[in-house]
Amino acid sequence: MAATAPPVDLGPARGPGRAGPVRLARRFGPVRILIALTCAFFFLWPVVMVAVGAFRTALPGQAGNTWTAGRIAKVYTDGSTYSVLWQTVVLAVSVTVLSTLIALFFAWVVARTDTPLRQVVTPVMVLVLAMPPMFFAIAWDMLGNKRVGMLNQGLAWITGSDAGSSGGPFNVESWYGLILVCSLKAASFSYFMVLGPFLTMDRSVEEASLISGAGRIRTFFRIHIPMLTPAISSASLLTLIAFLEGFDIPAIIGLPAGIRVLPTQIYNYINATFGGQYAQASSLALMLIALVTALIVVQAKLLGRRRFTTISGKTYRTGRWRLGPARWACTLAIVVFTLLALVLPLVQLYLGSLQPFFGLFQSWTLDNYHAIFEDPEVVSALENTAYLAVFGGLAAIAAALVLTKVVNTTGGAVTRFISFSTWMPMALPGVVLGLGMMWSYLTVPGLAKLYATVWILLIGLFVSAIPVAMRSAEGALVQVPGDLEEAARMSGAGRVRAFCRMVIPLITPSLLSGWLLAGILIAGNLAVPVLLASPDSSTVSVVVLELYKQGDVTKSAAVFCVILTVLLAAGILAGAVRGAFALRRRARHRSAARAAGPSGTSGATGPSGGAAVL
Amino acid sequence: MRTAKRTGVAIIALALVATGSAACSSSGSKPVDAGKLDLAPLGLDKTAEQQMRDLYKKAVDGKQTKLVVYGPNQANNKAINESFADRFPGIKVTAQPYTGAQLESRLATEFSTNKHIVDIVENTTYAYLEKGYYAKSTPFTAVKLPQEFREKTGMLWGVSGTVFGFTYNNTKVKAAEAPATWADLADPKWKGQIASGDPSQPSATSDLLLKLRAGGTINDDWLRRVKANQLAVKSELELANTAVAQGQYAISLVNIYNFYAGDKKKGAPLTFVYPKDGVVIEPNYYGIMKGAPHQAAAELYMNWLYAKEAQEGFAKLGTYPLMPGTRTGGDLPEMNTLKVLDTPDPTEMSKLWGPGTATLKKILGGSAAG
């Protein structure tokens, strides 16, 4: 791990005309408080409203409310609550461990090895990540169906047995099926959390380890893993939290297997009881908040104030490890993962989009595509979603960058509060977060006017994306050693200029990944728009849910296939643009090397060079 | 830095594209002179026709070019709403299939903030009546609507009737061997072959089972025998229907005729059974909401619902039109050829939901919390 000197406050060195430490403290104190208040309003207030909801007998705004602790007491003394809690923890921990291992393995394969087909891993992960969990679950529920699933049917066809009567050997509606499907989906998310740091890691430490006689395996565990600890812990923590509150996959695959988790139980308290038992749902949500808070504290204690810089201002080699025959085993792993996480579900969905009725293979039609393009609500939802994903994602990553910088460069209770508050939207299951936002914004007189506009939706989605955007920004900033920024400031650049001119260019690939990640999460978010969207500001996820509820699974599959095709086109376009930039950059490097003469560093590149692997 | 600048330009370009595309949503057709409306398909007398023209003019003059309807059947009613928009150019119907807590939460929010979006709510229960959400309205076209389909205070009006029975997969079960009554479904020969929606929560499945139980057609012993047949409980009725259509199971314990009609149209190998021991027909009620932002358009819509054109539209969807004299559509039999069971009215049903679903959960299972 690369140790760096503690940050030095260079304020006074900039001359008498600039602010000194006291004035800076005075100047930034109120700013931090203002930021903290803003964070409290956007991130904490919805949580408070949900907590308050546990003691209400009526919804906010409804007449006849009384206050009682009876409902929360009933939930917490009910034995089934703890059975559900146990199942939730088992699922979340299993998925976290498995998906993090898968993500680490593939990040290492892509960043450090000469494995054939490694280039397909990132595009595959993008597509798996972009696939809405609901579709992923539906596709796998069909694929792994015990009686009519394609896997069992295929096996029956090969072996000549009859899968229809008693069912085949695969049954996705089971514990192992649920964990497998969740892990495949979660691995794509974790992969992007660890890939950036892997690519931009300072290889000189690794080289030192190898030169000192440590083998590659030892180097991987003693150098790579410790250096990537923040990224791994962030990815693990986010996965753990995501599956503590994951709803779509457990609802579609878990419930038929009798597996209940807190989010499905909360959803059922709201949607599956006459009149909706909101206080009970809020009570369970408080349990999740407590769990997530504990996890955040544990992570903070584990990592403490250790520094984990992986980028340096020095150049380094980018040579790959030659794996020999073992590289084919890695290729096989890529093929298997691609099949399970992408090809088979996609084949199922594309076939579904061409069927008049999902799961019937006798006839094929393009009617579903005609229907969705003729439906103005679907077209409008596609447009709204694109708009919200672009702007919501951009706002989230920009805000996350500023907040992370504030958190990293200042200390004290206010800063800790800011850091803590940004986790809170993650602590609530989606549907409860949506309720909390609606209750909280609508209790503020001016903001009530935002109801049923696209703006409240944008705010809601921005808030929901903040925890992930923050982790992306943290992961990016933590790699940059303070001495680079300090060097810029010693050269006369101001604090803001040093940050913008020195730090941001170095972490631009990570920020763009963060924006993409936030945009994808916003585009696939169902829980927030399902409550905050108006008939005129609907999103794709809401439209798809409605189609699904109507039994129009084939039309919803067609909507997904359209989105996927657009994403693919955008991806190809982005790849082409990126490739063009990379070519020009290489050309510039070559001319610079020629101008510098034979002493130029051959085979070396800057920190952003690793991004070309993508 | 050049790369960063180019990235910035690309971001702005992308954002502009997104903004531009978001601004290009469809605007719908334009209003016409009320006198030029073709109202002959409505089958109304001259006075009612003129009243319809007056309401249309009032809506258009008041810039009420949009009408918002919430309700559980609105997804199925797309053709109905398109028909209205075609008949009255310039008034677009935005329908949302909200139900349960989502609908309740929407309405609570709109009333608590006094920012009303919805004009009309369609429902099969009187759930929002006692909350005071509905406004009184009397469609002048509904004069002949039987009293049994009118809510007593004149706020909710039955428009069409949904038929409940069950379905089977005709590639797995021969017609001669198919169950014909509710009682037949408890036969052990169907062990492992029946799927249902979730009976433990407010749903079409629990609604029907509670009505059959209240009317004495089934009892707790029947429920236990169905459970002993290894009933497969799905979270939604539509998913149970899909599983039956795919051949995972042979029989859907409960089905709604218009759900079946939609699936059948798409090629699902299903047959609907009108149980000989009785079907249930449930009215769908419509009511104008207090504070409706498009009051004239809402009144126009409510009156149009009882006109011949709309009633025939409901018949085509596979529901029974409730106005006397309207022909039944498709292969739906005339109502008088069926044994229609007496069931509790919506007021009585409100009292049965809580304890009833608890009993269903206890016997049949399901995922309801609490």
Side-chain angles (χ1 to χ4, degrees):
Chain A
M1 164 185 340
T4 57
V8 180
D9 189 348
L10 299 171
R14 290 179 297 163
R18 302 292 181 93
V22 176
R23 289 181 62 189
L24 278 174
R26 281 182 187 158
R27 185 176 160 198
F28 282 108
V31 171
R32 271 191 305 160
I33 288 171
L34 190 64
I35 291 173
L37 286 174
T38 308
C39 288
F41 177 72
F42 281 112
F43 310 138
L44 212 56
W45 186 233
V47 181
V48 171
M49 288 304 287
V50 169
V52 168
F55 300 93
R56 294 181 65 98
T57 57
L59 294 172
Q62 275 186 332
N65 179 59
T66 53
W67 298 93
T68 173
R71 296 180 179 187
I72 192 170
K74 191 181 173 194
V75 170
Y76 286 177
T77 52
D78 185 348
S80 68
T81 298
Y82 296 96
S83 161
V84 170
L85 175 64
W86 171 244
Q87 296 198 357
T88 311
V89 171
V90 168
L91 176 67
V93 170
S94 308
V95 171
T96 301
V97 171
L98 191 55
S99 63
T100 305
L101 288 174
I102 294 171
L104 271 175
F105 171 74
F106 283 116
W108 170 76
V109 163
V110 168
R112 301 299 293 119
T113 74
D114 63 344
T115 301
L117 285 185
R118 65 180 182 279
Q119 295 86 348
V120 306
V121 173
T122 298
V124 165
M125 291 292 186
V126 168
L127 292 172
V128 176
L129 184 67
M131 200 183 298
M134 189 162 59
F135 282 113
F136 199 71
I138 291 170
W140 258 101
D141 199 37
M142 288 294 299
L143 276 172
N145 186 285
K146 192 171 170 62
R147 298 194 188 194
V148 295
M150 271 171 54
L151 293 180
N152 285 318
Q153 293 285 331
L155 193 69
W157 183 74
I158 292 167
T159 60
S161 60
D162 178 13
S165 52
S166 58
F170 302 117
N171 183 11
V172 76
E173 290 178 359
S174 60
W175 265 108
Y176 73 80
L178 181 61
I179 291 171
L180 172 74
V181 175
C182 291
S183 299
L184 289 172
K185 187 80 177 82
S188 63
F189 176 79
S190 301
Y191 172 80
F192 286 106
M193 294 292 289
V194 297
L195 181 64
F198 241 122
L199 289 170
T200 52
M201 189 188 292
D202 182 353
R203 308 269 163 85
S204 60
V205 188
E206 173 190 320
E207 285 170 8
S209 169
L210 291 169
I211 291 166
S212 306
R216 284 174 175 174
I217 293 174
R218 196 171 174 204
T219 300
F220 179 78
F221 285 104
R222 298 295 296 272
I223 301 296
H224 289 165
I225 298 296
M227 284 180 78
L228 293 168
T229 301
I232 295 171
S233 68
S234 286
S236 303
L237 188 61
L238 283 175
T239 307
L240 189 61
I241 293 170
F243 281 89
L244 282 173
E245 62 177 40
F247 172 73
D248 307 48
I249 303 176
I252 289 167
I253 292 176
L255 279 180
I259 301 164
R260 292 191 201 187
V261 292
L262 283 173
T264 54
Q265 194 78 343
I266 289 169
Y267 180 82
N268 282 341
Y269 268 128
I270 296 173
N271 276 316
T273 54
F274 194 66
Q277 296 179 4
Y278 293 91
Q280 287 85 337
S282 292
S283 304
L284 276 191
L286 288 178
M287 193 177 265
L288 267 184
I289 293 169
L291 261 178
V292 172
T293 307
L295 287 170
I296 297 167
V297 171
V298 167
Q299 193 208 27
K301 292 273 182 201
L302 281 177
L303 298 181
R305 295 193 66 80
R306 292 159 70 192
R307 299 184 68 84
F308 298 87
T309 56
T310 59
I311 297 175
S312 75
K314 309 172 190 80
T315 58
Y316 51 76
R317 295 183 189 282
T318 56
R320 294 179 174 279
W321 289 7
R322 298 192 180 282
L323 296 182
R327 69 187 189 280
W328 296 110
C330 295
T331 302
L332 180 66
I334 292 171
V335 171
V336 170
F337 181 83
T338 305
L339 272 176
L340 292 178
L342 187 67
V343 176
L344 290 175
L346 277 187
V347 166
Q348 181 69 69
L349 283 172
Y350 271 104
L351 287 180
S353 75
L354 297 170
Q355 292 169 337
F357 197 88
F358 205 40
L360 294 183
F361 293 90
Q362 286 85 353
S363 58
W364 305 97
T365 177
L366 288 172
D367 285 355
N368 295 313
Y369 289 94
H370 290 305
I372 61 169
F373 283 119
E374 283 171 5
D375 188 338
E377 282 180 34
V378 174
V379 175
S380 166
L382 285 166
E383 292 166 355
N384 286 338
T385 306
Y387 167 83
L388 289 165
V390 169
F391 286 105
L394 181 61
I397 197 70
L401 186 63
V402 172
L403 291 174
T404 305
K405 184 64 185 165
V406 169
V407 168
N408 284 358
T409 52
T410 58
V414 174
T415 301
R416 281 200 298 277
F417 172 81
I418 293 170
S419 177
F420 174 79
S421 70
T422 61
W423 279 97
M424 282 300 101
M426 193 92 188
L428 292 174
V431 70
V432 181
L433 176 64
L435 268 181
M437 283 178 185
M438 194 164 70
W439 292 346
S440 52
Y441 298 163
L442 298 180
T443 50
V444 179
L447 288 182
K449 288 181 181 171
L450 293 178
Y451 176 68
T453 67
V454 74
W455 297 108
I456 195 168
L457 196 53
L458 186 63
I459 294 170
L461 290 167
F462 159 80
V463 170
S464 71
I466 275 290
V468 169
M470 283 292 289
R471 304 302 77 82
S472 295
E474 279 172 4
L477 278 177
V478 79
Q479 304 163 58
V480 182
D483 50 9
L484 290 179
E485 199 175 344
E486 285 155 17
R489 293 187 60 200
M490 286 182 76
S491 307
R495 187 185 289 262
V496 174
R497 192 172 174 212
F499 183 68
C500 293
R501 299 293 298 269
M502 181 57 74
V503 178
I504 290 182
L506 283 173
I507 60 171
T508 296
S510 297
L511 292 181
L512 288 176
S513 296
W515 182 16
L516 179 70
L517 198 59
I520 286 172
L521 290 175
I522 284 174
N525 191 311
L526 170 66
V528 172
V530 83
L531 286 174
L532 296 183
S534 73
D536 290 332
S537 63
S538 201
T539 65
V540 167
S541 54
V542 174
V543 167
V544 164
L545 176 72
E546 284 161 9
L547 289 171
Y548 181 71
K549 279 161 72 177
Q550 296 155 25
D552 264 335
V553 183
T554 52
K555 258 189 225 163
S556 54
V559 173
F560 169 74
C561 292
V562 168
I563 295 171
L564 187 70
T565 308
V566 171
L567 276 178
L568 271 175
I572 291 167
L573 186 68
V577 171
R578 198 167 190 166
F581 281 153
L583 282 175
R584 292 188 66 172
R585 200 164 51 235
R586 277 182 206 153
R588 278 206 306 275
H589 277 293
R590 273 198 295 271
S591 33
R594 273 197 297 273
S599 61
T601 314
S602 172
T605 183
S608 61
V613 174
L614 288 169
Chain B
M1 272 315 284
R2 279 187 186 174
T3 305
K5 280 178 185 168
R6 285 191 186 113
T7 307
V9 171
I11 289 166
I12 292 166
L14 194 58
L16 287 174
V17 169
T19 314
S21 64
C24 292
S25 50
S26 61
S27 55
S29 59
K30 289 182 178 173
V32 298
D33 185 276
K36 291 180 181 171
L37 289 172
D38 175 16
L39 299 185
L42 271 58
L44 301 173
D45 60 34
K46 292 290 174 195
T47 312
E49 255 192 28
Q50 188 53 50
Q51 285 176 294
M52 295 295 273
R53 289 183 202 282
D54 293 343
L55 278 175
Y56 176 74
K57 187 173 185 308
K58 193 175 172 185
V60 169
D61 290 349
K63 309 249 184 258
Q64 296 177 17
T65 54
K66 191 173 79 171
L67 179 72
V68 180
V69 184
Y70 295 164
N73 287 300
Q74 289 310 303
N76 286 329
N77 291 358
K78 201 169 252 182
I80 293 284
N81 294 330
E82 284 170 0
S83 182
F84 174 81
D86 290 343
R87 184 62 49 209
F88 299 99
I91 302 179
K92 179 185 162 192
V93 181
T94 302
Q96 296 293 321
Y98 297 145
T99 184
Q102 192 187 6
L103 177 57
E104 184 169 342
S105 184
R106 287 263 170 194
L107 296 177
T109 307
E110 290 182 20
F111 277 86
S112 63
T113 59
N114 206 26
K115 184 164 181 182
H116 296 277
I117 307 296
V118 66
D119 298 296
I120 290 173
V121 167
E122 166 253 325
N123 211 349
T124 55
T125 72
Y126 290 171
Y128 306 114
L129 195 63
E130 48 194 56
K131 292 181 190 293
Y133 287 171
Y134 292 106
K136 191 167 181 175
S137 69
T138 307
F140 49 78
T141 50
V143 178
K144 292 180 184 169
L145 184 73
Q147 286 297 325
E148 63 197 278
F149 302 130
R150 300 168 183 226
E151 186 272 322
K152 287 173 191 166
T153 60
M155 294 198 188
L156 288 167
W157 297 79
V159 171
S160 66
T162 304
V163 191
F164 285 81
F166 57 83
T167 45
Y168 65 87
N169 183 316
N170 51 38
T171 64
K172 291 184 77 86
V173 180
K174 291 176 185 168
E177 295 167 3
T181 63
W182 295 109
D184 289 346
L185 294 174
D187 191 319
K189 77 174 182 179
W190 301 120
K191 192 166 188 174
Q193 297 193 58
I194 305 180
S196 84
D198 194 335
S200 68
Q201 48 182 279
S203 64
T205 304
S206 56
D207 182 31
L208 176 70
L209 292 177
L210 290 179
K211 281 177 175 164
L212 291 175
R213 186 166 168 262
T217 307
I218 63 169
N219 54 27
D220 289 357
D221 181 54
W222 181 89
L223 292 171
R224 284 190 196 95
R225 284 190 289 134
V226 167
K227 177 64 179 174
N229 273 350
Q230 298 176 347
L231 177 73
V233 174
K234 301 285 177 181
S235 58
E236 305 281 345
L237 172 58
E238 291 89 337
L239 294 179
N241 291 339
T242 301
V244 172
Q246 290 165 346
Q248 291 186 52
Y249 301 92
I251 299 166
S252 190
L253 182 71
V254 165
N255 206 352
I256 299 171
Y257 184 85
N258 43 319
F259 280 20
Y260 152 80
D263 290 344
K264 183 83 178 169
K265 203 173 168 184
K266 294 176 197 164
L270 297 174
T271 298
F272 192 86
V273 177
Y274 306 94
K276 288 178 183 168
D277 42 356
V279 297
V280 169
I281 297 180
E282 186 176 71
N284 297 312
Y285 296 95
Y286 283 69
I288 297 178
M289 305 308 282
K290 279 182 185 164
H294 313 103
Q295 180 71 29
E299 283 181 34
L300 180 69
Y301 183 83
M302 283 295 288
N303 279 286
W304 176 79
L305 288 175
Y306 293 98
K308 187 181 164 195
E309 183 179 43
Q311 288 287 298
E312 287 179 351
F314 281 110
K316 281 181 197 161
L317 289 179
T319 57
Y320 280 108
L322 297 184
M323 281 296 278
T326 314
R327 290 187 62 183
T328 303
D331 57 351
L332 199 62
E334 290 297 327
M335 209 187 289
N336 57 17
T337 64
L338 299 173
K339 181 183 178 185
V340 181
L341 296 169
D342 285 332
T343 54
D345 68 20
T347 310
E348 213 176 317
M349 273 303 287
S350 315
K351 296 170 195 162
L352 291 176
W353 276 113
T357 49
T359 303
L360 292 176
K361 184 186 176 188
K362 195 174 168 188
I363 299 176
L364 295 178
S367 61

